[in-house]
Amino acid sequence: MAQSFPLPKWGVTMEEGTILEWNVQPGEPVEENTVIGQVETDKITVEFVSPVKGILAAHLVEPGTTVEVGEDIVVIADNEEDYEAYKKLKGS
């Protein structure tokens, strides 16, 4: 199964964050706590880490884009088979 993951809330007053860069590209494996990308908030720059082990299936947000807390930013597939199914579904 492929699952999307949202931008977390790292501070009490955080409402949005800007994706600065992606460190992992679609098709690459991730372990739980792998640094996937960098996010800038109104106060700090923080690492977005993978909440699960799997294969990064997609970035849902381009670098430089500001998104609200809770908005989905990446999709992670459980395994290679799920990654291939996700790619087929999305036509890539």
Side-chain angles (χ1 to χ4, degrees):
M1 180 171 97
Q3 182 178 352
S4 57
F5 292 92
L7 178 68
K9 185 171 186 167
W10 285 295
V12 175
T13 62
M14 182 181 164
E15 295 180 9
E16 63 184 20
T18 302
I19 306 303
L20 295 179
E21 66 180 346
W22 292 117
N23 299 80
V24 178
Q25 299 306 310
E28 294 181 350
V30 293
E31 296 291 327
E32 189 173 349
N33 295 320
T34 297
V35 176
I36 294 178
Q38 308 291 321
V39 178
E40 183 177 62
T41 72
D42 60 336
K43 296 183 180 178
I44 61 170
T45 298
V46 65
E47 295 176 333
F48 176 72
V49 298
S50 178
V52 297
K53 178 180 178 178
I55 297 174
L56 185 74
H59 301 134
L60 300 177
V61 178
E62 295 295 321
T65 304
T66 300
V67 297
E68 292 183 16
V69 167
E71 185 174 332
D72 289 336
I73 59 174
V74 296
V75 176
I76 300 175
D78 290 338
N79 52 45
E80 186 69 33
E81 182 179 318
D82 291 340
Y83 170 65
E84 292 300 328
Y86 178 83
K87 282 185 7 181
K88 250 186 186 175
L89 179 69
K90 295 301 176 182
S92 29

